[in-house]
């Protein structure tokens, strides 16, 4: 049969030895708190990181206004040109507010190039800090996608048009300041291009 062996108290003590008297949790290994010196160092490091990051973030916000405004102007010009080709008639792109790069695209009367209907417009809400300096406030395209030749009605005479976008609230343009100003160029043939006026001519993104 099966024998059952019992350990007496002495055998039990011998088997477990000192393990029986060892506490479940080691009270000597207490969790150490953060000292005042460590807390002070952490606060100083956080302050240094914030001092470095905040100006960079502010510059990024100001530059994003320029990029957004430039992209918006380019899209508006592209829309005007495409609409002129679609309807096979004159269409005008007009800057309605230099502060913020607001614009509108309108179809024109083929006889006198006066406005007929607004196709689309864009407000300056998202780009209120952007400033547009344009060589012409209006650009007109004909049915072939080129600029209208002669000055008439709302349209100026055909010429290369430049739209410079800056952000005075953010500072001066690079390379003398933190803001990277951009430009949109409209050629007489209707080509529309975004570029950076401060880059050298060897750069593909230069003007």
């Amino acid at each position: 049969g099966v024998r059952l062996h019992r350990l007496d108290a002495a055998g039990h003590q011998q088997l477990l030895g000192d393990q029986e008297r060892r506490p479940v949790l080691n009270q000597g290994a207490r969790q150490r708190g953060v000292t005042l010196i460590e807390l002070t160092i952490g606060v100083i490091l956080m302050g240094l990181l914030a001092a470095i990051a905040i100006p960079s973030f502010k510059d990024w916000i100001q530059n994003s206004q320029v990029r957004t405004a430039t992209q918006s102007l380019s899209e508006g010009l592209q829309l005007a040109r495409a609409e002129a080709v679609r309807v096979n008639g004159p269409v005008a792109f007009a800057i309605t507010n230099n502060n913020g790069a607001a614009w509108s695209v309108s179809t024109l009367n083929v006889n006198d190039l006066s406005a007929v209907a607004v196709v689309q417009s864009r407000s300056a809400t998202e780009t209120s800090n952007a400033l547009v300096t344009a060589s012409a406030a209006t650009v007109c395209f004909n049915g072939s996608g080129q600029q209208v030749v002669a000055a008439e009605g709302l349209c100026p005479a055909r010429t290369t048009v430049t739209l410079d976008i800056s952000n005075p609230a953010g500072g001066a343009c690079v390379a003398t300041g933190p803001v990277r100003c951009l430009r949109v160029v409209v050629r007489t043939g209707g080509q529309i291009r975004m570029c950076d006026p401060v880059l050298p001519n060897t750069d593909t993104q230069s003007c």
Side-chain angles (χ1 to χ4, degrees), residues 98-164:
N98 289 337
N99 295 316
W103 54 263
S104 67
V105 172
S106 304
T107 55
L108 302 177
N109 187 306
V110 69
N111 296 316
D112 59 4
L113 298 183
S114 60
V116 174
V118 175
V119 176
Q120 186 173 327
S121 62
R122 183 75 60 88
S123 70
T125 303
E126 298 179 359
T127 54
S128 57
N129 288 345
L131 176 64
V132 181
T133 304
S135 60
T138 303
V139 181
C140 297
F141 299 93
N142 58 29
S144 62
Q146 299 180 346
Q147 286 192 41
V148 171
V149 178
E152 184 180 359
L154 296 177
C155 303
R158 176 184 291 182
T159 184
T160 298
V161 177
T162 59
L163 291 77
D164 289 310

Side-chain angles (χ1 to χ4, degrees), residues 40-84:
T40 303
I41 293 173
V43 171
I44 292 173
L45 289 176
M46 290 178 63
L48 290 174
L49 290 174
I52 294 171
I54 289 176
S56 299
F57 180 72
K58 289 174 63 178
D59 289 346
W60 182 85
I61 291 294
Q62 299 298 343
N63 277 289
S64 68
Q65 291 254 336
V66 173
R67 289 192 299 271
T68 302
T70 305
Q71 186 67 39
S72 173
L73 291 168
S74 178
E75 290 174 355
L77 286 161
Q78 297 283 4
L79 171 65
R81 187 186 188 198
E83 184 68 11

